[in-house]
Amino acid sequence: MITLTIAIFLMGVIVVGLLNKYPKTAGIIAFFVSLIPFFALLSWSSVMNITLPSYLQFLNFETSWQYNLGPGTLILQITPLGWFFLLLLSSLFPMVILFSISYFRSNAGGFYAAMLLTMLGSFGILLAQDMLTFYIFWEIMSWSILALVIRGGDRKAIVSYLSFGALSAMLILFGFMLLYFKTGTFVFAEMHLDASNLVLAAITLIVSGFAVKGALMPMHVWAPHVYSKSEEPFVAFLSGGLSKLGYFGIMLFMYGVVGFSLLSSWGTFRGVPLFGYSLAVVGAFTAFAGTVLAVMQDDLRKLLAYSSIGQLGYIAIGLGIGTPLALTGALFQALNHTFFKAVLFLAAGAVYYRTGKYKISELGGLGYKMPFTFLASLFAIFALAAIPITSGFAAKWLLYEAAIEKKFLFVTPIMLIAGVGAFLYVYKILYGVFLGEPRYNVKEAPLSQLVPMWILVLPLIIFLIFPGWFVDLTAPILQGYEMTAIPHTPYTINTSLAKYNTLAVIFAFIGTLIFAFILYLSKPQEKVDHMDNYLAGEPPELYDYISMHASSKYYEPFEEVFYPYFKRGAERMWEIILAAGEVFGSGARKIYTGIVGDYSIYILLFFLIMVGWWLLW
Amino acid sequence: MVNYIDLTIQILVAIGVTALGFAIGMLFNGIARKITARIQNRVGPPIYQGYIDVLKLFTKKTNISHGWIFDLAALFSVAGIALAFLFLPVAGVSLLSGEGDLFLILYLLAIPALGFALGAGASGNPNAAVGIMRALMTMLAYELPLVMVIIAMMVYYDTTSLAVIVQKQANMHWAIFIPVFFIGALVADMALQGMLMEKPFDIPIAPHEIATGPMVEFGGKHLGALMLYKMMGIVVETTLFVDLFLGGGVILSVSQFGWLAYVVNFIVWFLLILFVFFIALLINAVFPRFRIEQALKFYWKYDALVGLLILIWIFVGVTP
Amino acid sequence: MNHENWSKLARIMSKRSLWMIHFCTGCGAMEMPPVMTSRYDMERFGMHAMATPRQADVFLVTGYLAVKTLKRVVQVYEQMRDPKYVIGFGSCTINGGMYWDSYNTIKDLSKYIPVDVYIAGCMPRPEAIMDSFLKLFDMIDKGEAIGWQKYHKYYDQYKRNQRMAFSYRLDEVKDIKEDDKE
Ligand code: SF4
């Protein structure tokens, strides 16, 4: 079946690519192809100890697959971790394709072809059991992303993605080579690693390579450019789905291949492996800086891009701390981020589809015109801001608990402040785009755009009520790392520090809402126009050409305070590194003088050093 | 099997305590105005003025609404603040506080604020938008020192549950008697000033600059709901402070003294939150208003610096 | 509780918590600070200066009104929610006062919005203002302060008077507006 899947995907790519003239047909074909990974997921549910009714498992996929390729064997096999991330990607992907059917009016064949290729690549990555397969599929995914970035047509985005993608691939490849050099095998299960510095170097390289895809600072430079200059459905999939592959890789190599005990053997700091501690600190910095930068943006997509970077930082914190609590929190945050960020990007796409604008200061008042888009993004925003009426809170809560449990005294305040900063930028979206003065007389987004958004909101509500089901999902993953799942019932989570009972929160909230509703019904009310506003007695109808929307430069005092610290930015850092590299390079070029005598001296020196080393050894 | 009688009693107690919270909140409004008046050498309104104001607002004949998003503000603000109150231990009585912890309370406090912000934004008044911007930035400003102190306490007491923190302070082992948390209480009190939106930090509702900011379009029952939210907010925030630093006002243990303990604890709790609020009022009565960047700089430079010292103290002192 | 008692309760509440918006158009506004501060302290009666008409119950028009200002006054009055009361402050609101022959001020405020209580004097002393508040309380208690009901009832007349007052000014404003648009 897996062979067939890959074949169908490749055929789909060709067919869809040829149907460039017929965007709707191409979209529908792509949608049906895109459902296959989800059916595979259903048929593999026994990996997670879930029994589904048989009519959901009508396609029967084998759990492992091998293909003999000259130097090694390609091995694909479903694992609990792979299943979990496949759940995120395969449920997001069809929705994104469904959204694109009405989003693209022409020239969509290439888009669907490249999207199918990215999904094929991610499918392979999540199932890969050896480094060779992993790397092959990783490259398929990366290059097809490049094709989609090129479709966006922004030079800066292409260059930054290309350079950082190459950097990421080089780092990963180098790490893989070191691991192969050390162990002599590509297969994860056959690797026997020890606590040598070589392995440490390899894992550092690999993790920093994945950090590029996960947009961890300072490797995030490509993300705002790409997110803000590509087509919206693709960005939703990139930010919601593909960025998780970076964290999948980090988790796979840190806890699957290397393991917690080996990580601890390179030194621990206050009970946490030093390696993980530094990852957590980087994650916290990313969460904070991403948030501050998001507050300063005016372009809706740039804002979401920086917020993405900030929210992904939380996953890095969880992966760094590495206790069962923290890993559960990180996976939960990954799940939430997949859905709410996809909804937000799709909503941005729907807004663009109707108004043709991305600038927050040029939008306004769409909440009453596009109520369902507004409500879907309101839920997503609640999840992003971790308001306890969506599942977003449980994830952040687990991460906070994990940090306090390990006594992270300096990281936790930064996490919390980044959480408060999230309120600032989500309100900018709410006010700038959906509330305030209605400026556009537009219709609601088409149904084929609303349906994906609302389907993607569902998990946020389900896992709000039953966070225990999520913890059940993490149990097999943690078992693989010789950890046990955190104590839970369907609607409570217990930690060593406290307890979180979602049922109590929900029922209390419903009760208080009823109380408030009775108060609210006490008196009738009349609806007034937004023009009937208190403006110091000015009759606004005389001044209808003056905008009452205060959304341009909304957080100006904030920018005044923070801009001086952030104006340099990471791009500047990379420029300095490049300049240094250039100086070093031109210095190195002087060695190649072109005179034979010089070269012979070099060779002599080289031999002397080698002999000297050998003698001294 | 759920014990329905117990559940019913619990729900009734919850309703009663919430009503009491609102009642105390309205009383505090009167007390605050009376005290401010006395400081300014005036007579001031009667102490029950808060009740009259709220009742008047709910008996207004006509109300306006800017659409359903505007109405959400009234619903969310009252519901959210009552919800936050239910999760606090009050005078050692923990209604739902065993079911959540301090992080939950901090985020529950965001529900009314965000709902309120939604309504203010939906009104379409530029003053409201500016007011919300200021409110969110003040929130960002005061949260940093507050969170630093709270996290220091969590690590010191090795729990994140507020109920457990209150329990560990029983028998007068109040946190404020520990030197480092005495300083912490001062830091948190400054943050409380911003939380209560009292004077140097009443930037969001500056009536003379932006016409009470977010509340500019609210009148009648909508304003009544917001008044309830603000008044209850005073109780919630001062109770949070008292729970953290003053042992929640528990001076008699229930197991020893029975129902007498409940009565005495409730009275002590009431006096303590009144005292905490009184300090805020004294500062409020004599200070002018900061600008928003000044408030941010005050909190992040001076208040947070002391908070950082507390964190370092705990970091060195606590072995993992 | 039957309707009669309910409206009585509503009246008592409304009486004891009159939130005020003062429209400082004329010189009479000078007398407001002593009324609000420690010398006379109107907060004794639960009165309170509010920033916006949405929150206010009583509207203090302090002095003469130019036609241009009248437009704002009407706008503010209409934004207030029922029940709402108006206090005309100083001779200018009664008969034009010392501006009785001005080309640009209105003479009788009650032609444009219903006024519940007038305070005579140019300018009235704070004692007179306090007295007017007590008078208003009395009227609310007895159910005599029904200006807002009158406004609903005779809406057309009030609107006609207003339109007549600022008809030519309105044209001028429209012209300016069109100039700006070009
Ligand atoms: S009545 Fe006298 S004091 Fe009052 S506004 Fe007219 S001229 Fe000024």
Side-chain angles (χ1 to χ4, degrees):
Chain A
M1 264 320 261
I2 292 181
T3 325
L4 193 64
T5 308
I6 295 173
I8 291 176
F9 259 90
L10 289 176
M11 259 160 56
V13 169
I14 295 166
V15 170
V16 165
L18 289 177
L19 282 173
N20 201 12
K21 283 249 175 68
Y22 309 97
K24 293 261 149 29
T25 329
I28 290 163
I29 293 173
F31 174 68
F32 282 113
V33 175
S34 70
L35 285 174
I36 295 175
F38 192 72
F39 294 137
L41 185 83
L42 290 180
S43 86
W44 285 325
S45 57
S46 59
V47 177
M48 305 297 274
N49 307 327
I50 303 170
T51 37
L52 288 177
S54 55
Y55 57 82
L56 281 177
Q57 297 177 324
F58 51 90
L59 289 184
N60 215 343
F61 283 79
E62 67 269 38
T63 50
S64 72
W65 177 88
Q66 292 197 350
Y67 181 76
N68 244 326
L69 197 78
T73 322
L74 302 186
I75 309 172
L76 294 181
Q77 192 190 345
I78 187 70
T79 57
L81 186 67
W83 193 93
F84 175 78
F85 278 90
L86 191 60
L87 169 71
L88 307 186
L89 269 84
S90 67
S91 49
L92 176 58
F93 187 60
M95 294 304 119
V96 171
I97 297 285
L98 189 60
F99 182 91
S100 345
I101 291 176
S102 63
Y103 186 81
F104 288 106
R105 294 185 175 105
S106 64
N107 188 25
F111 173 81
Y112 294 121
M115 284 293 273
L116 286 180
L117 268 183
T118 55
M119 186 64 212
L120 178 65
S122 342
F123 188 71
I125 292 167
L126 295 176
L127 300 188
Q129 284 308 306
D130 61 322
M131 294 190 295
L132 206 59
T133 325
F134 194 101
Y135 194 72
I136 290 171
F137 281 106
W138 185 268
E139 285 297 300
I140 293 179
M141 181 204 62
S142 295
W143 288 101
S144 41
I145 291 179
L146 180 65
L148 286 160
V149 175
I150 288 172
R151 271 178 67 87
D154 184 69
R155 192 169 170 277
K156 201 156 188 191
I158 298 166
V159 170
S160 59
Y161 178 76
L162 197 57
S163 44
F164 275 90
L167 176 68
S168 154
M170 285 303 120
L171 288 172
I172 294 170
L173 189 62
F174 200 50
F176 282 5
M177 272 158 45
L178 285 184
L179 279 187
Y180 183 71
F181 173 71
K182 181 78 190 166
T183 60
T185 173
F186 283 119
V187 186
F188 298 149
E190 292 169 12
M191 281 181 196
H192 300 291
L193 300 172
D194 52 14
S196 63
N197 284 344
L198 197 67
V199 178
L200 179 63
I203 187 74
T204 312
L205 287 171
I206 292 172
V207 166
S208 43
F210 287 129
V212 174
K213 189 110 292 161
L216 265 186
M217 283 191 183
M219 312 285 217
H220 69 286
V221 177
W222 62 277
H225 294 302
V226 170
Y227 286 14
S228 66
K229 288 293 181 325
S230 309
E231 289 143 322
E232 222 49 43
F234 159 61
V235 177
F237 189 52
L238 179 64
S239 163
L242 296 173
S243 63
K244 304 295 172 306
L245 289 177
Y247 292 98
F248 167 76
I250 292 177
M251 192 153 176
L252 179 68
F253 279 89
M254 266 178 76
Y255 297 101
V257 175
V258 175
F260 191 77
S261 50
L262 198 54
L263 278 180
S264 312
S265 67
W266 284 304
T268 57
F269 181 64
R270 294 174 83 91
V272 177
L274 256 182
F275 190 85
Y277 208 100
S278 41
L279 184 65
V281 170
V282 170
F285 176 72
T286 307
F288 178 71
T291 306
V292 171
L293 284 167
V295 176
M296 294 187 196
Q297 305 304 319
D298 186 33
D299 188 319
L300 181 54
R301 295 177 298 178
K302 269 226 164 101
L303 192 157
L304 289 175
Y306 277 114
S307 117
S308 227
I309 292 168
Q311 296 297 316
L312 291 171
Y314 281 95
I315 306 180
I317 297 170
L319 294 185
I321 298 172
T323 54
L325 196 60
L327 290 183
T328 314
L331 291 175
F332 209 160
Q333 171 73 2
L335 179 128
N336 282 327
H337 183 262
T338 302
F339 293 107
F340 67 66
K341 198 43 71 69
V343 172
L344 283 177
F345 270 116
L346 292 186
V351 166
Y352 177 74
Y353 181 76
R354 282 301 186 209
T355 63
K357 293 273 186 338
Y358 277 125
K359 284 238 177 297
I360 291 176
S361 53
E362 290 171 4
L363 290 161
L366 293 175
Y368 293 116
K369 305 283 176 198
M370 305 168 78
F372 292 103
T373 313
F374 168 68
L375 272 181
S377 31
L378 189 64
F379 267 110
I381 276 170
F382 280 159
L384 200 165
I387 303 292
I389 46 179
T390 56
S391 69
F393 175 72
K396 297 262 173 75
W397 183 79
L398 286 170
L399 289 171
Y400 295 147
E401 292 286 312
I404 293 287
E405 196 184 50
K406 282 288 166 193
K407 310 218 184 319
F408 274 57
L409 270 163
F410 299 102
V411 170
T412 330
I414 298 176
M415 287 160 76
L416 272 161
I417 278 300
V420 177
F423 295 150
L424 265 74
Y425 65 73
V426 298
Y427 190 70
K428 195 173 188 176
I429 304 176
L430 277 177
Y431 178 69
V433 178
F434 292 110
L435 303 178
E437 180 193 37
R439 292 180 168 182
Y440 297 93
N441 203 3
V442 292
K443 279 188 299 193
E444 176 60 278
L447 197 64
S448 64
Q449 298 186 1
L450 284 179
V451 168
M453 276 188 243
W454 277 97
I455 290 178
L456 292 175
V457 166
L458 281 183
L460 299 177
I461 296 170
I462 294 171
F463 288 120
L464 156 73
I465 307 170
F466 301 107
W469 292 359
F470 179 82
V471 181
D472 281 336
L473 279 185
T474 59
I477 300 173
L478 294 179
Q479 231 162 39
Y481 308 148
E482 288 149 14
M483 300 174 188
T484 48
I486 53 177
H488 66 281
T489 64
Y491 46 83
T492 57
I493 302 178
N494 297 311
T495 69
S496 64
L497 303 169
K499 176 180 167 193
Y500 173 43
N501 186 343
T502 54
L503 224 52
V505 177
I506 293 164
F507 277 120
F509 187 57
I510 291 173
T512 50
L513 258 187
I514 291 171
F515 168 69
F517 197 65
I518 292 169
L519 273 185
Y520 163 79
L521 283 182
S522 65
K523 281 281 164 182
Q525 60 185 20
E526 59 185 282
K527 192 176 175 314
V528 295
D529 188 19
H530 81 280
M531 274 304 191
D532 188 2
N533 247 324
Y534 171 67
L535 296 165
E538 274 310 87
E541 68 269 12
L542 297 181
Y543 299 99
D544 55 1
Y545 53 95
I546 292 176
S547 169
M548 299 206 302
H549 207 54
S551 67
S552 86
K553 292 200 176 167
Y554 192 60
Y555 288 113
E556 202 174 9
F558 182 92
E559 283 170 37
E560 262 168 33
V561 174
F562 282 98
Y563 185 71
Y565 304 104
F566 282 82
K567 71 178 169 207
R568 291 284 162 127
E571 275 183 48
R572 179 96 182 119
M573 185 194 98
W574 287 106
E575 269 164 28
I576 291 169
I577 290 175
L578 274 186
E582 210 153 276
V583 169
F584 176 76
S586 57
R589 210 179 301 127
K590 291 210 182 83
I591 297 173
Y592 302 100
T593 51
I595 303 166
V596 184
D598 287 353
Y599 287 125
S600 50
I601 288 171
Y602 295 153
I603 294 170
L604 200 65
L605 271 176
F606 179 71
F607 269 105
L608 277 178
I609 290 167
M610 291 303 282
V611 170
W613 180 315
W614 181 69
L615 283 176
L616 286 175
W617 198 249
Chain B
M1 192 60 212
V2 187
N3 190 341
Y4 286 106
I5 298 172
D6 268 12
L7 198 67
T8 325
I9 290 174
Q10 250 176 352
I11 289 173
L12 285 179
V13 169
I15 292 173
V17 170
T18 319
L20 185 73
F22 280 116
I24 291 175
M26 286 186 250
L27 184 65
F28 270 27
N29 184 281
I31 292 175
R33 281 164 69 177
K34 190 84 186 171
I35 288 172
T36 316
R38 294 310 298 156
I39 291 170
Q40 294 169 351
N41 201 8
R42 289 188 282 123
V43 177
I47 242 167
Y48 48 84
Q49 186 65 41
Y51 302 98
I52 299 180
D53 283 351
V54 171
L55 263 177
K56 178 209 73 179
L57 287 170
F58 277 105
T59 50
K60 280 283 238 187
K61 288 269 188 317
T62 52
N63 297 286
I64 57 119
S65 159
H66 281 274
W68 56 271
I69 305 173
F70 187 77
D71 298 335
L72 277 184
L75 291 180
F76 269 48
S77 48
V78 174
I81 201 74
L83 185 62
F85 188 64
L86 286 178
F87 277 84
L88 280 174
V90 176
V93 180
S94 49
L95 288 169
L96 287 174
S97 60
E99 312 294 318
D101 65 351
L102 254 170
F103 291 120
L104 183 69
I105 291 166
L106 287 181
Y107 274 94
L108 284 180
L109 280 174
I111 294 183
L114 212 65
F116 180 22
L118 266 181
S123 74
N125 195 311
N127 285 325
V130 173
I132 292 291
M133 180 272 276
R134 292 174 172 206
L136 286 170
M137 277 192 60
T138 322
M139 190 170 165
L140 185 75
Y142 71 69
E143 285 274 320
L144 183 65
L146 182 71
V147 151
M148 281 174 161
V149 176
I150 285 181
I151 281 168
M153 294 194 78
M154 283 175 177
V155 171
Y156 181 84
Y157 286 110
D158 201 17
T159 177
T160 62
S161 166
L162 195 53
V164 178
I165 289 181
V166 171
Q167 262 169 33
K168 287 194 178 174
Q169 298 182 24
N171 301 326
M172 301 298 285
H173 294 305
W174 291 359
I176 203 162
F177 299 143
I178 304 167
V180 62
F181 288 128
F182 178 72
I183 301 168
L186 295 182
V187 171
D189 192 56
M190 276 297 104
L192 192 71
Q193 195 77 14
M195 247 174 142
L196 294 170
M197 289 193 201
E198 297 290 0
K199 227 160 214 169
F201 308 107
D202 68 337
I203 315 153
I205 46 168
H208 315 102
E209 295 170 38
I210 49 173
T212 61
M215 290 190 282
V216 57
E217 274 300 297
F218 287 83
K221 65 177 181 183
H222 294 86
L223 186 63
L226 289 192
M227 292 277 290
L228 282 181
Y229 155 51
K230 242 190 102 191
M231 290 163 176
M232 181 71 138
I234 295 170
V235 178
V236 168
E237 283 145 14
T238 47
T239 307
L240 182 62
F241 185 88
V242 167
D243 280 347
L244 279 174
F245 296 103
L246 300 171
V250 181
I251 56 170
L252 295 183
S253 86
V254 174
S255 55
Q256 233 174 342
F257 293 93
W259 63 269
L260 183 70
Y262 282 115
V263 177
V264 172
N265 288 344
F266 255 93
I267 292 170
V268 172
W269 164 75
F270 178 76
L271 292 177
L272 283 177
I273 58 173
L274 188 60
F275 175 70
V276 172
F277 185 49
F278 185 65
I279 294 172
L281 278 178
L282 291 187
I283 300 172
N284 177 40
V286 293
F287 270 92
R289 184 160 47 236
F290 270 143
R291 280 207 320 273
I292 182 73
E293 330 63 288
Q294 288 170 328
L296 193 65
K297 276 180 187 154
F298 170 81
Y299 277 127
W300 283 43
K301 266 196 186 147
Y302 306 110
D303 221 15
L305 190 71
V306 183
L308 194 67
L309 291 180
I310 292 168
L311 281 184
I312 291 171
W313 183 280
I314 299 289
F315 188 77
V316 175
V318 173
T319 43
Chain C
M1 203 185 286
N2 62 21
H3 186 73
E4 192 59 29
N5 287 349
W6 180 253
S7 55
K8 203 167 165 189
L9 178 74
R11 282 212 298 275
I12 292 171
M13 291 307 155
S14 158
K15 173 185 107 182
R16 293 307 307 274
S17 137
L18 282 178
W19 291 354
M20 176 190 78
I21 179 159
H22 49 290
F23 208 95
C24 299
T25 58
C27 16
M30 212 52 242
E31 293 298 326
M32 285 317 290
V35 176
M36 287 187 217
T37 49
S38 38
R39 185 74 175 84
Y40 292 97
D41 186 23
M42 69 184 195
E43 209 181 356
R44 278 181 293 159
F45 307 130
M47 292 187 75
H48 211 268
M50 275 295 165
T52 87
R54 298 285 190 211
Q55 306 163 350
D57 309 290
V58 56
F59 187 14
L60 229 73
V61 185
T62 58
Y64 59 85
L65 289 172
V67 176
K68 192 176 161 193
T69 340
L70 180 66
K71 198 192 281 291
R72 275 76 187 162
V73 165
V74 171
Q75 169 86 12
V76 167
Y77 181 71
E78 285 183 354
Q79 280 182 343
M80 287 167 65
R81 294 292 102 199
D82 301 340
K84 52 192 173 187
Y85 314 101
V86 179
I87 298 181
F89 188 109
S91 316
C92 278
T93 54
I94 302 172
N95 56 9
M98 63 186 275
Y99 297 97
W100 65 275
D101 57 350
S102 167
Y103 64 98
N104 200 24
T105 55
I106 54 122
K107 306 296 175 293
D108 185 0
L109 180 60
S110 61
K111 263 169 80 182
Y112 309 101
I113 53 174
V115 180
D116 294 293
V117 180
Y118 275 121
I119 314 171
C122 176
M123 48 190 57
R125 293 274 308 156
E127 291 91 340
I129 303 172
M130 300 305 276
D131 198 40
S132 79
F133 290 157
L134 292 180
K135 177 96 168 74
L136 185 63
F137 289 174
D138 232 30
M139 287 169 69
I140 294 173
D141 236 5
K142 291 183 191 138
E144 287 168 4
I146 48 165
W148 53 278
Q149 289 169 2
K150 259 198 255 168
Y151 194 70
H152 287 304
K153 204 167 167 192
Y154 304 114
Y155 187 68
D156 292 339
Q157 274 96 316
Y158 281 117
K159 271 284 147 208
R160 205 196 51 196
N161 286 350
Q162 288 164 13
R163 226 174 293 131
M164 268 166 67
F166 41 68
S167 56
Y168 80 101
R169 304 292 302 182
L170 193 67
D171 291 344
E172 215 174 283
V173 171
K174 265 189 182 153
D175 288 344
I176 294 168
K177 195 173 123 191
E178 268 154 29
D179 286 348
D180 279 6
K181 267 185 182 169
E182 277 164 21

